[in-house]
Amino acid sequence: MHANAVNLRSKPTTSSKAVGVLYKSHKFKVHSTSGNWVNLTDTTTSVPGWASQTYVYRDVYMCLD
């Protein structure tokens, strides 16, 4: 699946509040993981949150193209 942006969530669930958006090619710092979720901070906007591992490349710390 391709995405230009991914919602950052307050908790590692799709039902939690969206706290920001991680855009394509934004870099981020990974803090931890929980199941299929990554706790990260978007280093472009300084917004912390949770994103599904389905939509981010943890290896290169970039949002999926």
Side-chain angles (χ1 to χ4, degrees):
M1 177 176 240
H2 296 285
N4 287 325
V6 178
N7 283 327
L8 291 178
R9 303 275 180 186
S10 59
K11 297 178 183 176
T13 66
T14 55
S15 60
S16 66
K17 179 182 176 182
V19 294
V21 178
L22 180 65
Y23 289 97
K24 177 181 171 182
S25 299
H26 275 200
K27 295 193 178 195
F28 55 89
K29 180 178 180 182
V30 173
H31 305 294
S32 63
T33 60
S34 177
N36 193 37
W37 291 85
V38 180
N39 180 249
L40 56 86
T41 299
D42 181 337
T43 57
T44 303
T45 63
S46 300
V47 174
W50 291 87
S52 171
Q53 286 183 334
T54 303
Y55 301 107
V56 294
Y57 289 120
R58 187 164 181 218
D59 294 354
V60 294
Y61 306 114
M62 294 178 75
C63 191
L64 252 180
D65 180 339

